[in-house]
Amino acid sequence: MKKASIQDIADRLGVSKALVSFVLNGKGKEKRISEQMIRKVFDVAKELNYRPNQVAKWFRTGKTQTIGLIIADISNPFFGKLGREIEREASRKDYKIIFCSSDENTEKFEEQLEMLVKSQVDGFIIAPPQGSNPQIEALTKAKIPYVLIDRYFPEIDSNYVIINNYTASYNATKHLLDKGYRNIGFITVNDELITMHGRTRGYLQAMRDAGIEPPGDYIYKLPFSHEKEDVCNAVKRLVSMEDHLEGILFSSSKIGLMGLEVISELGLNVPDDLAVVSFDDPDFFKVCFSPVTAIAQPLEEMGRKAVQILIREIESGKISTPSKKIMLKTNFIVRRSSG
């Protein structure tokens, strides 16, 4: 089937090719084209399934209508879902996504960033790995539009969309404490990452506010690129402590999914033997043997706001001053796993 062109739309309406081009490029009002004609052009374009030539558009506008998305870990259900929401919102705005996963590796992240810059993406949405400050600062100096998501660097003035990790973790731990649990473990990853640092602080403060000073053994920090064996070692160490472990807070859904599998393999029942709460809320949490109490992040809102901020900068040609700093609330969903 022949691809519809601007000329086809012009022929159907009996108008000039220039008029159709002005309308499709958002210059209808500027060129004093009537609202009725603008609607007709778009109606016919939709009817003919017209798709703009992106290469030609780049030569004309200097924009590719593409966004570089670099997430931290594609194996983490949280980032998979967040990426989908970002792609969905970008598609609504007629932007395409080039998707990369850094695996929390700074060198890999730098390579991906360079590749996307060479691909002439219009801007970036990034969940930056720990230690990538220089690359983010380089984007700032180069005035390349970007939005950080899920985490940020306090020393860099940047656009970001995050949640309040401290409050979310504090409330989750307090929920277990209010249920009567006292010996509560916390399995997380290296808290040099600001996201996890906030979650660790929230857990510790809730315990201390309840008059409990948790020993260091109550907190198990996994490597960034952890596998089931790492989580297995963490759960086994916690449940073998002299003080009988009563509950666990998992700092991510990836850790939570692996942790639940290990708990089952150890022959423990949730919540009878061990109460469980986890960050994030993948579908599995809703239907597993003991539905999991979860800290659900507003993924749709996070993705939508990140895309909107970025496209506003791309299309205005101006970097936001001051930067857009958005902190969203989580939704705490109580299910059977916490007793």
Side-chain angles (χ1 to χ4, degrees):
M1 181 183 292
K2 180 187 173 185
K3 184 178 178 181
S5 67
I6 289 178
Q7 187 63 61
D8 293 329
I9 300 170
D11 292 343
R12 173 73 70 88
L13 291 169
V15 297
S16 70
K17 184 178 176 181
L19 182 145
V20 174
S21 180
F22 287 142
V23 171
L24 294 178
N25 286 295
K27 296 182 179 179
K29 291 183 179 179
E30 178 186 327
K31 297 298 181 179
R32 298 185 179 180
I33 299 169
S34 70
E35 288 288 343
Q36 183 181 15
M37 179 54 70
I38 290 173
R39 283 196 298 272
K40 284 182 178 180
V41 169
F42 281 113
D43 287 345
V44 172
K46 184 177 181 180
E47 180 186 337
L48 296 178
N49 198 29
Y50 169 75
R51 293 289 182 271
N53 184 321
Q54 291 301 125
V55 175
K57 184 168 184 178
W58 179 77
F59 278 114
R60 186 173 63 253
T61 66
K63 295 185 174 64
T64 60
Q65 297 290 116
T66 56
I67 292 169
L69 171 62
I70 306 180
I71 60 165
D73 181 3
I74 189 60
S75 67
N76 188 326
F78 165 77
F79 285 111
K81 280 193 168 185
L82 180 57
R84 184 178 63 182
E85 294 299 339
I86 289 170
E87 185 176 36
R88 183 176 293 161
E89 180 63 19
S91 180
R92 291 193 191 105
K93 306 290 187 181
D94 294 323
Y95 277 75
K96 304 298 181 186
I97 295 290
I98 300 179
F99 199 104
C100 296
S101 175
S102 72
D103 297 325
E104 298 286 10
N105 183 295
T106 307
E107 290 183 7
K108 185 175 180 180
F109 169 73
E110 186 172 9
E111 291 171 359
Q112 292 172 339
L113 199 61
E114 289 177 358
M115 178 270 293
L116 291 169
V117 169
K118 289 177 182 177
S119 299
Q120 297 176 317
V121 297
D122 296 327
F124 292 91
I125 297 176
I126 302 170
Q130 182 65 28
S132 62
N133 316 50
Q135 289 77 33
I136 300 303
E137 288 174 335
L139 288 177
T140 302
K141 289 177 182 176
K143 298 190 182 301
I144 296 175
Y146 71 90
V147 179
L148 302 184
I149 197 161
D150 180 59
R151 70 277 296 261
Y152 69 104
F153 297 111
E155 67 275 17
I156 300 175
D157 182 25
S158 64
N159 297 320
Y160 60 70
V161 181
I162 60 171
I163 64 162
N164 191 325
N165 289 286
Y166 170 86
T167 299
S169 186
Y170 182 98
N171 290 339
T173 307
K174 188 175 184 301
H175 167 76
L176 289 171
L177 291 163
D178 289 345
K179 285 281 187 176
Y181 303 111
R182 285 294 178 268
N183 298 329
I184 302 166
F186 180 50
I187 301 181
T188 184
V189 297
N190 192 320
D191 65 1
E192 289 179 7
L193 196 66
I194 195 165
T195 306
M196 297 304 168
H197 182 65
R199 294 176 190 182
T200 301
R201 287 194 306 110
Y203 158 80
L204 285 170
Q205 193 60 52
M207 295 288 280
R208 288 165 179 163
D209 286 351
I212 301 169
E213 184 60 43
D217 289 349
Y218 271 36
I219 301 176
Y220 197 107
K221 296 177 184 178
L222 302 168
F224 281 119
S225 299
H226 49 274
E227 301 298 336
K228 182 185 171 184
E229 183 180 355
D230 299 307
V231 179
C232 183
N233 292 336
V235 173
K236 284 182 176 179
R237 197 190 78 176
L238 286 173
V239 299
S240 65
M241 289 192 309
E242 186 174 338
D243 292 331
H244 175 62
L245 190 73
E246 299 171 308
I248 297 182
L249 172 62
F250 295 114
S251 72
S252 77
S253 56
K254 180 182 177 182
I255 299 173
L257 289 167
M258 293 177 179
L260 288 167
E261 188 177 354
V262 172
I263 289 168
S264 177
E265 290 171 356
L266 291 174
L268 299 173
N269 293 316
V270 176
D272 298 334
D273 297 319
L274 195 63
V276 168
V277 176
S278 178
F279 268 82
D280 310 321
D281 191 30
D283 293 337
F284 173 79
F285 280 4
K286 304 166 191 173
V287 297
C288 66
F289 53 91
S290 183
V292 179
T293 296
I295 304 158
Q297 300 195 51
L299 298 179
E300 182 178 348
E301 188 177 8
M302 289 175 74
R304 186 175 69 251
K305 287 188 179 298
V307 171
Q308 289 173 351
I309 292 168
L310 182 62
I311 291 179
R312 195 176 302 128
E313 289 201 349
I314 291 170
E315 298 188 346
S316 70
K318 297 178 181 178
I319 303 300
S320 297
T321 305
S323 298
K324 302 293 184 184
K325 296 172 170 56
I326 296 177
M327 182 178 287
L328 303 174
K329 294 180 179 179
T330 56
N331 182 22
F332 191 65
I333 303 170
V334 178
R335 300 192 181 104
R336 185 172 180 271
S337 73
S338 57

